[in-house]
Amino acid sequence: MRIEIINSEGDEITNLSLESNPFTLGQIIHLEINNRDKRYWVVEEVRKSFLVDKIESYVRVDYQLNGKRNESVSISVEVSEIKTI
C-alpha cells in the first residue's frame, strides 16, 4: 500500500510503499531523507521529528469489463513538525 506523509497544509513530505500502516495517532516519527544524487532525484532532504495528528485511509476498487478486479489502498498520515531546541 502507498503511505503518504503530509503536513497540515496537505503538502507531501514523502511517500512510502509498505505492506501495512505502522503509524498511530500521537506517535512521534523521526524522519530522515537523504538525497545521494541531486542530479537524478529532486527529493528534498529532511531531518526532522513529526507528531502524527491524523490518519486517513483511501480504498479504490475498479471492476473492469474483462472480468478483472483491481484494488488500491492508500494511507494519508498528517503530521506536524516538532520543534527541537
Side-chain angles (χ1 to χ4, degrees):
M1 80 177 49
R2 178 172 184 242
I3 298 177
E4 59 180 12
I5 299 177
I6 61 171
N7 61 21
S8 58
E9 289 80 36
D11 299 323
E12 185 176 271
I13 298 168
T14 191
N15 65 72
L16 312 162
S17 180
L18 301 173
E19 291 295 318
S20 62
N21 178 19
F23 305 114
T24 58
L25 288 177
Q27 176 183 9
I28 294 175
I29 300 171
H30 304 286
L31 187 57
E32 182 172 338
I33 301 168
N34 299 306
N35 185 351
R36 302 286 187 222
D37 189 348
K38 292 179 176 63
R39 295 169 298 161
Y40 183 77
W41 299 100
V42 291
V43 175
E44 181 181 346
E45 292 191 341
V46 175
R47 285 173 195 80
K48 297 178 182 177
S49 296
F50 298 92
L51 180 67
V52 176
D53 296 323
K54 183 177 174 183
I55 299 174
E56 293 183 334
S57 302
Y58 300 92
V59 178
R60 179 178 171 165
V61 181
D62 290 320
Y63 292 89
Q64 300 176 350
L65 292 175
N66 61 5
K68 290 189 178 184
R69 180 177 182 254
N70 292 325
E71 301 174 1
S72 65
V73 177
S74 298
I75 306 292
S76 179
V77 179
E78 185 179 308
V79 296
S80 56
E81 185 179 342
I82 297 174
K83 303 291 183 187
T84 56
I85 299 174

